[in-house]
């Protein structure tokens, strides 16, 4: 390799490692800041509240819909399409 290429490669490696180290230290400082200001606790509370709401409100609707689907199954070719209905009425 030429001397210029080796120097360029060395500068790149030095800059890359410095940037990575800076990112790691900033992430560490951010984690400490978040822990000191209760961000982790609030996020955990929010997650638990949203999970509780999901289990109390969404899942019962899913179960009702599943039960109704099993009670009233639709056959694959049993109905006619909306387009065919419009053709038969003369509206299409």
């Amino acid at each position: 390799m030429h001397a210029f290429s080796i120097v360029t490669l060395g500068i790149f490696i030095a800059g890359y490692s410095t940037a990575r180290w800076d990112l790691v230290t900033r992430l560490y400082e951010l984690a400490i800041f978040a822990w000191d200001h209760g961000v982790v606790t609030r996020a955990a509370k929010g997650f638990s509240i949203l999970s509780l709401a999901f289990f109390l409100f969404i899942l019962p609707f899913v179960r009702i819909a599943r039960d109704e689907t099993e009670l009233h199954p639709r056959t694959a070719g049993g109905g006619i399409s909306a387009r065919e209905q419009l053709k038969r009425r003369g509206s299409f």
Side-chain angles (χ1 to χ4, degrees):
M1 293 180 81
H2 297 289
F4 181 75
S5 299
I6 293 172
V7 172
T8 304
L9 184 64
I11 291 171
F12 173 76
I13 291 172
Y16 183 80
S17 62
T18 303
R20 289 291 165 193
W21 179 253
D22 186 50
L23 285 174
V24 168
T25 55
R26 286 183 189 260
L27 182 63
Y28 177 71
E29 291 172 357
L30 180 63
I32 291 173
F33 178 82
W35 185 263
D36 288 341
H37 287 81
V39 174
V40 176
T41 308
R42 284 185 287 170
K45 286 180 185 175
F47 179 76
S48 63
I49 289 171
L50 286 174
S51 297
L52 182 67
F54 175 77
F55 288 121
L56 290 178
F57 299 117
I58 303 299
L59 287 181
F61 285 116
V62 171
R63 186 173 181 187
I64 291 169
R66 187 190 66 222
D67 292 343
E68 288 296 320
T69 304
E70 289 173 2
L71 283 175
H72 309 288
R74 298 179 82 182
T75 57
I80 59 173
S81 67
R83 180 180 295 238
E84 184 63 30
Q85 289 178 8
L86 290 172
K87 282 182 183 178
R88 289 182 182 182
R89 279 191 285 178
S91 302
F92 188 64

